Amino acid sequence: MSAIDSLPPLREVIATHQLSARKSLGQNFLLDLNLTAKIARQAGDLTGCDVLEIGPGPGGLTRGLLAEGARRVLAVEKDSRCLPALQEIADAYPGRFDVINGDALEIDPLAYLTPPIRIAANLPYNVGTELLVRWLTPKEWPPFWQSLTLMFQREVAERIVALPGSKAYGRLAILAQWRADARIVLSLPPGAFTPPPKVSSAVVHLDALPEPRFPADAAILSRVVATAFNQRRKMLRSSLKGVSPAIEDHLNAAGIPPTERAEQVSLEAFCALARELAKA
Ligand code: SAM
């Protein structure tokens, strides 16, 4: 029996189901259930919430989420080898846990969820960033989720909460802070994972704002910041040339000096530029 439920410890689960970690799937497992319960607590009050978990693996974070009182957890896992281990969790929490075997980048799990919905995940870095951007850039706001609690490489977590003028400031900071309150809530050394990754990790918690901090069209803002930070050392009048032939006029109308570099431009100013471009 484990520290938080009546199921076997995770090392035993991994040995029983022969879940050797696969690098191709970004598998670095969390095996300490006290730690996964601590991460689950960062997701806020889970009672009365459906939780969407991406990449449950052998189920450490899943068990944390269920032990912390989630009404229901729906997980999307690509690796079918994990399904028997996850079935044992479903059996221990009848009616509270379901798994979809598939790629989270391909599947839309919304039809299987009932609001309020929180999202929690310990995912490979590239999948996590791609999903984060998708969750932050739907056309309409508020989104289907209330909060996101996501593990990232420490460096990526810092990019999400970065402020203008810093090296980490860029597209992720702008998209995250435009529509959410984002903060780093936990730092984890490589040794917290099995096998240990090369770098440190951090959990970022984002609460969706009822409305974006400043009005802007999501697609235009996304395109502008992606283009501006792609050539972050260039002046905006030159890095954004491809966005509009009259970019200098739009920058001036948004109150941004055309000679400014992306790194120095506030979220508010980028939103003003997106509004100017929408008028054109
Ligand atoms: N959540 C578990 C934990 O904390 O121990 C496993 C974390 S491991 C870093 C990432 C998990 O995501 C693996 O189980 C992997 O198979 C799964 N995964 C990787 N790519 C995925 C994808 N595109 N869609 C769904 N799951 C994916």
Side-chain angles (χ1 to χ4, degrees):
M1 212 162 100
S2 79
I4 63 164
D5 55 30
S6 58
L7 289 156
L10 282 158
R11 278 188 200 285
E12 203 176 305
V13 172
I14 283 185
T16 308
H17 298 284
Q18 299 178 5
L19 296 176
S20 51
R22 290 207 174 138
K23 220 176 170 176
S24 62
L25 284 166
Q27 292 182 335
N28 302 97
F29 300 134
L30 292 167
L31 301 186
D32 176 350
L33 286 159
N34 288 315
L35 177 59
T36 62
K38 189 170 171 185
I39 296 169
R41 282 198 290 281
Q42 306 304 320
D45 183 4
L46 300 179
T47 52
C49 283
D50 274 14
V51 180
L52 172 63
E53 186 194 358
I54 311 291
L61 180 56
T62 317
R63 287 165 61 177
L65 294 164
L66 288 162
E68 287 301 316
R71 173 176 68 194
R72 189 170 155 254
V73 176
L74 174 71
V76 181
E77 173 56 62
K78 194 170 174 181
D79 185 356
S80 56
R81 293 181 311 150
C82 298
L83 298 183
L86 296 171
Q87 185 56 47
E88 288 175 6
I89 304 175
D91 294 341
Y93 288 94
R96 288 180 58 199
F97 178 49
D98 298 285
V99 186
I100 300 175
N101 182 204
D103 185 335
L105 296 169
E106 311 281 331
I107 285 171
D108 179 5
L110 195 50
Y112 306 95
L113 294 161
T114 310
I117 299 162
R118 294 187 185 271
I119 300 180
N122 171 21
L123 267 175
Y125 145 76
N126 54 339
V127 182
T129 310
E130 168 69 30
L131 286 173
L132 172 65
V133 170
R134 286 189 199 181
W135 288 326
L136 289 167
T137 52
K139 194 164 172 47
E140 304 298 335
W141 200 261
F144 74 91
W145 51 270
Q146 200 174 75
S147 69
L148 309 172
T149 306
L150 308 171
M151 182 85 69
F152 287 103
Q153 292 182 0
R154 175 89 208 175
E155 178 237 316
V156 178
E158 278 165 7
R159 278 165 40 202
I160 295 169
V161 302
L163 296 174
S166 68
K167 247 171 85 181
Y169 183 63
R171 181 179 74 127
L172 281 184
I174 287 171
L175 295 181
Q177 296 168 37
W178 176 44
R179 284 175 151 178
D181 273 329
R183 58 190 201 280
I184 294 178
V185 290
L186 268 183
S187 294
L188 284 89
F193 301 84
T194 305
K198 288 202 172 67
V199 294
S200 294
S201 301
V203 177
V204 182
H205 180 82
L206 300 100
D207 285 307
L209 295 171
E211 50 188 88
R213 243 176 260 282
F214 309 102
D217 176 89
I220 298 176
L221 181 65
S222 266
R223 177 164 176 234
V224 166
V225 293
T227 314
F229 283 98
N230 212 9
Q231 298 176 295
R232 58 190 297 138
R233 282 181 215 296
K234 283 198 177 170
M235 293 178 198
L236 288 170
R237 71 172 173 214
S238 112
S239 61
L240 291 178
K241 219 164 37 195
V243 170
S244 161
I247 194 63
E248 285 217 36
D249 296 342
H250 295 310
L251 284 163
N252 282 321
I256 305 171
T259 52
E260 197 72 283
R261 287 168 175 81
E263 216 167 84
Q264 303 299 331
V265 177
S266 69
L267 164 62
E268 185 173 9
F270 269 120
C271 290
L273 178 59
R275 290 198 300 278
E276 287 304 324
L277 287 163
K279 286 188 210 157

